[in-house]
Amino acid sequence: DLYLTFVLFDRERRLPAEHPVLSELVNPKGQLIQTSKPARSLDAFHSFRLRTAEAAPTGNWKARVLVGGLVFEQNVKIETVVPNRLKIDFQPGAEKLVRGKPAEASLRSQWLHGAVAANLKFDAKVRLVPRPTSFSRWPDYVFDDPAREVTASEQNLAEGQLDAGGDARFPIELEMEDAAPGMMDAQFAVRVFEESGDFSSDAVTLPFFPYKSFVGIRVPKGDEMRGMLLTDQDHVLQIVTVDPD
């Protein structure tokens, strides 16, 4: 179900209270799928309830609202969700990943009814996303570099075929083109494909340390009244260097 709320502003108050307002739903092929009146209206607010079929195509749909001779459009992304038919057990081979220390991942898959998913194709990708750098032993230290900024990036890890037992193994060695401000999240996405082309997926997230050591700075809190570092006084900055452990 898709709920669309439309707010109609009539500055000159010329529209009658019962002025017709309609909505249309158009699929990615340009075909008109549904036309409906507001499910509910309250003053300038009009709410529409739209529905797509289970077999509706994935893509960029278009929602239209027609008010007299005026047409308002909004692109809507609709995706067909297919439930997993394969059980996937993906083990990255480590509780955390450190740059320069490869891990060996293992993948096992079977059908939900229990049969082995033999000789099926698979692929694995990882997305690196920045996260705040913190260590439980050093709670008041700042380890992130505010002068560095990276955007999330995706890497292809592996693709191949499961063996006759539904198993596969492949190495994980993460690299980054840009210097990270600190720790990252490694978001793994693994897919196993049926012969028809449909696939089941699994997702796992692990912390990734792009450096073998991190430098943290603890800045004085300043005076109690204003939280400022006063002039004409010495202020001590505490520095610590730690490894990922």
Side-chain angles (χ1 to χ4, degrees):
D1 288 349
L2 173 68
Y3 293 92
L4 175 68
T5 300
F6 175 73
V7 185
L8 178 61
F9 291 98
D10 181 20
R11 294 182 178 178
E12 299 182 1
R13 300 178 181 272
R14 294 182 178 179
L15 293 178
E18 301 299 326
H19 190 79
V21 179
L22 298 176
S23 72
E24 294 181 346
L25 185 62
V26 181
N27 70 10
K29 297 180 180 180
Q31 300 170 327
L32 179 62
I33 302 300
Q34 180 181 347
T35 301
S36 61
K37 296 181 179 180
R40 198 175 170 192
S41 297
L42 178 63
D43 295 331
F45 293 86
H46 303 274
S47 177
F48 300 91
R49 181 178 179 179
L50 309 176
R51 174 172 292 180
T52 59
E54 292 185 3
T58 295
N60 293 317
W61 291 56
K62 187 169 292 184
R64 293 177 182 155
V65 174
L66 293 81
V67 184
L70 299 178
V71 179
F72 304 90
E73 295 185 347
Q74 174 67 45
N75 289 331
V76 180
K77 293 184 179 294
I78 297 180
E79 182 176 3
T80 301
V81 179
V82 179
N84 283 352
R85 301 208 308 165
L86 292 162
K87 180 180 179 181
I88 300 175
D89 182 16
F90 171 65
Q91 299 294 334
E95 294 183 356
K96 56 188 173 186
L97 301 171
V98 182
R99 187 174 185 177
K101 292 184 178 181
E104 187 176 40
S106 62
L107 172 63
R108 170 171 292 182
S109 181
Q110 66 182 37
W111 296 94
L112 291 183
H113 52 68
V116 175
N119 305 318
L120 295 182
K121 293 182 179 181
F122 77 91
D123 65 19
K125 298 181 180 182
V126 62
R127 183 178 176 86
L128 299 179
V129 181
R131 61 171 289 177
T133 306
S134 63
F135 298 91
S136 58
R137 292 182 57 189
W138 313 98
D140 297 329
Y141 286 76
V142 177
F143 291 91
D144 287 301
D145 186 348
R148 294 176 178 176
E149 184 176 351
V150 294
T151 56
S153 61
E154 189 174 74
Q155 303 176 23
N156 293 322
L157 277 182
E159 60 180 16
Q161 195 169 6
L162 303 178
D163 61 19
D167 297 320
R169 304 183 74 88
F170 53 88
I172 296 177
E173 189 168 2
L174 304 181
E175 295 292 338
M176 295 190 60
E177 296 182 358
D178 301 322
M183 288 176 58
M184 307 285 287
D185 268 337
Q187 300 175 348
F188 294 93
V190 181
R191 300 185 299 177
V192 177
F193 294 84
E194 303 176 23
E195 294 181 356
S196 64
D198 291 337
F199 64 85
S200 299
S201 60
D202 189 22
V204 175
T205 299
L206 288 181
F208 170 56
F209 296 85
Y211 306 109
K212 295 181 180 179
S213 62
F214 295 80
V215 178
I217 300 178
R218 184 179 184 182
V219 181
K221 295 182 179 180
D223 70 309
E224 296 182 358
M225 294 294 295
R226 292 165 292 178
M228 298 173 59
L229 298 180
L230 303 178
T231 58
D232 302 323
Q233 292 187 18
D234 290 336
H235 302 282
V236 178
L237 297 178
Q238 294 177 291
I239 300 175
V240 62
T241 303
V242 301
D243 61 19
D245 295 323

